[in-house]
């Protein structure tokens, strides 16, 4: 389940079934599960997504001989998951659609390559096994600053594209 706003029971049941099936098949192996840093966000407490992620963390920690629970912040890069905050902003900006930005919010973004480095390091280091780690950027950003950066990048890309065509 990659959409933190998901409320339908079917995706949660599908992921739980997949986790249970994989646990049965991988006895003794290291079980790596990507959870969410949102479990520590007071505004997300009790949401179906966070509740589900915490339940699966508990299930894995009880049943897997070796596990690594990775609580990830907002991953940027890789496949275009339309439910990420960055892709949501980019999509709305490209479509020129209005959207609301919370004034006092912050978002933590981590590059997919950085996430890969953190997780592969932990997989290679058995002292991190059977723990929960937080994979996040040490600095968060305001959504407004993020939107302004996307808009500036979009403007620059459009100017660069029109300049290349005119030469």
């Amino acid at each position: 389940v990659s959409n933190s706003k998901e409320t339908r029971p079917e995706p949660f049941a599908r992921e739980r079934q997949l986790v249970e099936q994989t646990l049965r098949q991988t006895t003794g192996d290291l079980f790596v599960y990507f959870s969410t840093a949102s479990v520590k966000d007071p505004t997300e407490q009790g949401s179906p997504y966070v509740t589900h992620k915490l339940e699966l963390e508990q299930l894995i920690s009880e049943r897997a001989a070796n596990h690594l629970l990775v609580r990830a912040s907002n991953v940027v890069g890789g496949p275009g998951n339309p439910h990420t905050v960055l892709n949501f902003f980019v999509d709305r900006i490209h479509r020129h659609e209005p959207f609301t930005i919370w004034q006092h919010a912050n978002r933590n973004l981590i590059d997919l390559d950085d996430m890969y480095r953190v997780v592969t390091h932990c997989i290679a280091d058995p002292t991190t096994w059977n723990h929960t780690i937080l994979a996040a950027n040490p600095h968060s950003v305001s959504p407004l600053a993020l939107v302004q950066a996307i808009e500036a990048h979009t403007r620059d890309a459009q100017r660069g594209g029109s300049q290349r065509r005119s030469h």
Side-chain angles (χ1 to χ4, degrees):
V1 178
S2 60
N3 180 359
S4 63
K5 301 304 177 197
E6 183 63 73
T7 58
R8 296 171 299 138
E10 296 84 10
F12 298 127
R14 180 183 44 79
E15 185 177 38
R16 183 179 184 96
Q17 181 180 20
L18 179 61
V19 165
E20 288 175 340
Q21 177 185 356
T22 306
L23 283 167
R24 285 191 298 271
Q25 295 171 349
T26 58
T27 56
D29 295 329
L30 177 63
F31 192 104
V32 180
Y33 179 71
F34 291 90
S35 186
T36 177
S38 296
V39 300
K40 294 294 186 181
D41 182 346
T43 65
E44 295 296 324
Q45 297 306 302
S47 74
Y49 179 75
V50 166
T51 300
H52 168 75
K53 291 296 186 179
L54 287 171
E55 287 173 358
L56 288 186
E57 285 184 15
Q58 182 69 31
L59 175 73
I60 293 163
S61 66
E62 289 172 357
R63 294 194 191 168
N66 295 301
H67 65 272
L68 178 63
L69 303 174
V70 181
R71 289 182 176 168
S73 66
N74 295 284
V75 180
V76 176
N81 178 347
H83 303 295
T84 66
V85 67
L86 185 67
N87 287 341
F88 172 83
F89 289 158
V90 169
D91 180 60
R92 292 308 185 280
I93 290 167
H94 282 144
R95 292 179 187 210
H96 302 284
E97 292 179 4
F99 55 94
T100 301
I101 299 174
W102 290 6
Q103 185 175 5
H104 301 291
N106 280 309
R107 291 296 174 259
N108 188 280
L109 308 177
I110 184 168
D111 183 79
L112 180 62
D113 291 336
D114 292 331
M115 173 72 76
Y116 174 81
R117 281 189 281 278
V118 168
V119 173
T120 55
H121 171 78
C122 291
I123 289 170
D125 180 5
T127 65
T128 65
W129 295 6
N130 301 320
H131 288 91
T132 301
I133 64 163
L134 174 64
N137 190 320
H139 306 284
S140 293
V141 63
S142 78
L144 180 58
L146 189 56
V147 167
Q148 289 169 335
I150 295 166
E151 289 174 336
H153 177 76
T154 301
R155 278 192 307 273
D156 291 347
Q158 289 171 346
R159 272 191 238 122
S162 61
Q163 289 172 350
R164 282 191 291 276
R165 283 191 295 271
S166 64
H167 289 265

